[in-house]
Amino acid sequence: MAMYIRVKRNKTTYFIQCDPTETILDIKQKLQNLIDQPVNDQRLILVATGEVLDDSKTLADQKVENDCIVALTLRKDDNEFEDVNIIRPDDFYQSRDADGGLNW
Amino acid sequence: MKKEETVKLISAEGFEFVIDKKAAMVSQTIRNMLTSPGSFAETQHGEVTFPEISTIILEKICQYFYWSLQFASGKETEFHIEPELSLELMMAANYLHT
């Protein structure tokens, strides 16, 4: 196995095994098997840069490296893509911190 | 990559990690669940819930599984562990026989 990327949406993370020479389309096809959403309804965004990844380019071309986090967004009913939404576990603690009034 | 070849690990807070079965089987505990003939309910749905393992730790564990596969195939890199995670991570590793 050459590398893997972490594809995240809401509370779910998909670990996808891949190779730097694979294209984004290849990755979307792998995702299609897992989430039953056609490739055309998927958009992948490299979280570190906020860049929307291009289907025809390879992972290496777009600096997607091992262990990178990629956001998945899906096409909504009105044909637009939803915004990036990744819930992080720390979000659970924010309200508690606010109540306690602790500032660190 | 087929759906049947993956397994979903669910953390205490309900976050889901979908990983290859092959990677999950780095853990002896998960391997036993997935391969034992008694057929755990977990095996059939391909889902395992860990109510004691927090999301941050479970993600680290999944990263470790993949790192371990890479290491076994000859790619020798270091696995970075944040010091503040180490205690919880060790407890989880002990539980998972990893």
Side-chain angles (χ1 to χ4, degrees):
Chain A
M1 178 190 73
M3 63 180 271
Y4 69 91
I5 55 171
R6 288 178 280 162
V7 178
K8 289 179 180 261
R9 179 172 177 266
N10 297 342
K11 291 177 84 173
T12 306
T13 304
Y14 302 90
F15 281 66
I16 306 290
Q17 289 195 44
C18 48
D19 199 87
T21 57
E22 285 181 84
T23 63
I24 302 303
L25 191 61
D26 293 331
I27 302 297
K28 288 184 177 176
Q29 272 155 356
K30 291 183 188 184
L31 280 168
Q32 183 178 349
N33 295 332
L34 294 178
I35 60 175
D36 300 321
Q37 295 283 346
V39 292
N40 293 332
D41 290 350
Q42 301 175 24
R43 176 181 277 174
L44 295 176
I45 298 158
L46 186 59
V47 170
T49 60
E51 202 178 338
V52 177
L53 299 172
D54 195 333
D55 276 359
S56 59
K57 292 191 189 159
T58 67
L59 294 168
D61 283 342
Q62 301 183 94
K63 307 265 184 305
V64 182
E65 290 161 353
N66 192 36
D67 196 40
C68 264
I69 299 176
V70 175
L72 168 68
T73 65
L74 299 176
R75 201 186 288 277
K76 295 183 293 187
D77 295 337
D78 62 3
N79 222 21
E80 296 289 314
F81 280 97
E82 62 191 6
D83 291 332
V84 173
N85 184 16
I86 298 174
I87 303 177
R88 289 179 305 134
D90 339 328
D91 293 351
F92 283 85
Y93 298 107
Q94 272 172 8
S95 57
R96 194 183 66 180
D97 288 347
D99 293 342
L102 288 170
N103 291 316
W104 349 347
Chain B
M1 189 168 177
K2 296 195 194 74
K3 210 172 189 171
E4 303 79 58
E5 289 163 10
T6 63
V7 52
K8 186 186 277 184
L9 308 184
I10 304 172
S11 74
E13 296 92 356
F15 283 68
E16 301 176 345
F17 296 93
V18 178
I19 65 173
D20 289 274
K21 273 194 181 156
K22 197 176 148 216
M25 290 204 204
V26 169
S27 156
Q28 195 60 44
T29 304
I30 298 178
R31 175 185 287 269
N32 290 345
M33 285 179 184
L34 296 177
T35 57
S36 63
S39 80
F40 282 80
E42 284 89 348
T43 325
Q44 295 178 347
H45 301 107
E47 283 186 14
V48 190
T49 309
F50 295 103
E52 285 94 20
I53 303 182
S54 72
T55 307
I56 299 173
I57 298 295
L58 193 58
E59 177 154 32
K60 203 75 190 168
I61 289 167
C62 293
Q63 287 173 283
Y64 173 78
F65 289 161
Y66 280 86
W67 175 86
S68 174
L69 293 183
Q70 289 176 339
F71 193 87
S73 63
K75 184 177 162 189
E76 297 198 8
T77 51
E78 287 202 2
F79 187 73
H80 178 73
I81 293 173
E82 292 81 353
E84 63 272 23
L85 295 184
S86 43
L87 175 63
E88 242 188 296
L89 202 56
M90 268 194 280
M91 294 194 297
N94 179 41
Y95 171 65
L96 291 170
H97 293 269
T98 302

